[in-house]
Amino acid sequence: MNNANPPQLSKLKTVGVTPFIYRSSQPLFRVSAGVPIGDALAQVSDLLCLAKAFAEDAAYSKDTDRHAWAAHYLTAMSKAVIDDVVQMLSP
């Protein structure tokens, strides 16, 4: 980005090209296009907060792996949104 002419961040939106959660080499989900990046990143923050809590629970709970799987899916969704925002911001 050019610091002399920064884009108005409030007008930037997700591009909607980043897939996540694959089944048989085919993406099951994709980031939606047109979401304001502030909203998208706020959602990512919430997803990562939950993923952190589930990962911590998984570390202490040895009787099941459901917390680990929940953390896995939440981080996959978070990564996809961040990758989509970065793709939009990159020249």
Side-chain angles (χ1 to χ4, degrees), residues 5 10 12 15 17 27 34 40 48 51 56 58 70 80-83 86 88:
N5 192 11
S10 63
L12 299 178
V15 292
V17 297
L48 289 173
E56 186 174 290
V81 173
I82 290 171
D83 289 350
V86 167
M88 186 272 311

Side-chain angles (χ1 to χ4, degrees), residues 55-65 67:
E56 186 174 290
D57 289 347
Y60 291 108
S61 177
K62 302 299 181 200
D63 59 335
T64 182
D65 62 355
H67 295 102

Side-chain angles (χ1 to χ4, degrees), residues 3-83:
N3 287 337
N5 192 11
Q8 298 245 344
L9 290 179
S10 63
K11 294 182 180 182
L12 299 178
K13 299 186 184 311
T14 56
V15 292
V17 297
T18 308
F20 60 98
I21 312 295
Y22 286 80
R23 293 293 176 249
S24 302
S25 301
Q26 184 176 11
L28 189 58
F29 299 106
R30 184 173 310 279
V31 174
S32 294
V35 177
I37 63 167
D39 293 344
L41 293 174
Q43 184 64 52
V44 166
S45 179
D46 291 342
L47 292 172
L48 289 173
C49 181
L50 288 170
K52 180 182 177 288
F54 280 130
E56 186 174 290
D57 289 347
Y60 291 108
S61 177
K62 302 299 181 200
D63 59 335
T64 182
D65 62 355
R66 73 175 180 266
H67 295 102
W69 280 110
H72 166 75
Y73 287 114
L74 289 167
T75 55
M77 288 187 280
S78 300
K79 181 182 182 325
V81 173
I82 290 171
D83 289 350

